[in-house]
Amino acid sequence: MLRSHHGPRAGLLTGSALTLALASSALAQTTWHVDATAAPGGDGLTWATALDSLQSALDVAALDEPIWVAAGTYHPTNRSNPSNPRSARFLITGDRCLFGGFWGTETSLDERDPELFEHTILSGDIGIAGDPADNTYRVIELPSFAAPGFACIDGFRITAGNAIGNGGAVLAKMDTGGYNPRVKLVHCTLNENSAEMGGAIAVENFGVVHLLDCLVERNSAADRGGAVFSEAGGCLAVNTRFRENKAINQGGVLFADASNDGWIEYANCEFIANEANRGGVAYLRGGSFTAGIAY
């Protein structure tokens, strides 16, 4: 179902409320620290001994343990094909919570600096700087989860994914048995990613992405969904701005195929200067929509 909301909707968590809820649930758990400027060999248990690799933290942290990330640039290192550097991505396999926007001295989440969210960067630009031809195919990948849950990525800029396939910044897709991968992106910017479909985000085969208080801009698709491609997947966007996204064919912001059981909702969002051959903002295909307005 596609719904277009033009005012506040009761029951939807704001980004701030979500952060507080996650902070409360993380109490008494080990907190892992990541800092791009840290010396190699740290154990990640304090800022003084921070890990210098985000994927290292993802590999060692338990599912319910938060990962705090200092401002800096972090590149994917987990390769789906060991012989192909472009196959590297940050692999998230369960309900992990990543928090950006730290200076590297904080002792609580509420000490984060929102000005640093834009400068805590997950980047696919692993080769020649500024040349997308050798960038990673995507920045973040969420395959099937082993247990029910929601991952959370709060306070980052996700950029420079260049997919051969779908989802330049984020791909959420069930690929085996198990549970559908679900992720909340909060206070994030997704910009300058590209793909065949879903320049920034692809949600397929029951993958789900929630965007809360985000900016999605200057992403591009060679075919459909300049910002978001959904095929039997879900995307909820609240208080999010979509600006200057482009698809060569359908859906400058969104292409959604509802031939299977996916769901799409946008509330209090802004759409500025998006472009496509058909559907500058949204292109909907399939027969399962029961209500909705598309612009």
Side-chain angles (χ1 to χ4, degrees):
M1 178 180 294
L2 174 71
R3 298 188 181 96
S4 180
H5 301 288
H6 299 285
R9 181 175 182 225
L12 291 173
L13 280 176
T14 66
S16 298
L18 176 63
T19 297
L20 290 173
L22 289 168
S24 297
S25 66
L27 292 176
Q29 303 296 328
T30 298
T31 297
W32 298 89
H33 303 75
V34 180
D35 187 338
T37 66
D43 59 17
L45 298 178
T46 68
W47 286 120
T49 60
L51 296 163
D52 62 347
S53 162
L54 176 55
Q55 188 62 52
S56 295
L58 288 167
D59 291 342
V60 71
L63 291 180
D64 58 350
E65 294 177 338
I67 298 171
W68 292 5
V69 184
T73 300
Y74 302 86
H75 298 104
T77 57
N78 184 300
R79 298 185 187 183
S80 60
N81 179 351
S83 64
N84 184 358
R86 295 193 64 198
S87 72
R89 74 278 203 233
F90 293 111
L91 187 65
I92 299 178
T93 56
D95 57 345
R96 301 184 181 279
C97 286
L98 282 60
F99 298 98
F102 292 94
W103 286 101
T105 57
E106 297 85 351
T107 58
S108 68
L109 271 179
D110 57 13
E111 294 181 72
R112 289 191 301 167
D113 185 349
E115 296 295 325
L116 293 182
F117 294 164
E118 179 74 12
H119 302 287
T120 312
I121 303 168
L122 309 182
S123 172
D125 193 359
I126 60 170
I128 299 171
D131 181 358
D134 58 5
N135 289 9
T136 61
Y137 297 134
R138 63 187 49 89
V139 182
I140 297 168
E141 185 170 340
L142 299 102
S144 298
F145 283 7
F150 255 105
C152 177
I153 301 171
D154 183 332
F156 291 86
R157 179 156 63 96
I158 307 169
T159 188
N162 182 20
I164 296 176
N166 303 343
V170 178
L171 172 64
K173 176 183 179 181
M174 285 190 72
D175 58 348
T176 61
Y179 296 87
N180 60 323
R182 301 181 295 172
V183 60
K184 295 180 176 75
L185 302 175
V186 187
H187 308 131
C188 285
T189 295
L190 293 81
N191 71 330
E192 298 179 2
N193 301 281
S194 59
E196 181 179 348
M197 295 190 283
I201 296 168
V203 283
E204 304 175 47
N205 198 22
F206 305 106
V208 175
V209 172
H210 289 188
L211 295 164
L212 307 179
D213 298 315
C214 289
L215 171 64
V216 185
E217 66 175 355
R218 296 193 304 276
N219 302 285
S220 62
D223 190 355
R224 307 167 189 166
V228 180
F229 173 81
S230 172
E231 185 172 53
C235 183
L236 167 67
V238 179
N239 300 334
T240 290
R241 177 178 294 181
F242 297 88
R243 185 170 62 193
E244 297 179 21
N245 300 286
K246 181 177 181 179
I248 297 300
N249 289 322
Q250 296 103 11
V253 170
L254 166 70
F255 177 93
D257 188 335
S259 58
N260 292 299
D261 292 329
W263 57 263
I264 307 292
E265 292 192 41
Y266 287 78
N268 299 330
C269 291
E270 187 174 45
F271 305 93
I272 304 169
N274 301 285
E275 181 181 350
N277 184 45
R278 299 180 67 187
V281 170
Y283 186 96
L284 312 179
R285 186 178 74 178
S288 297
F289 292 106
T290 58
I293 302 172
Y295 298 97

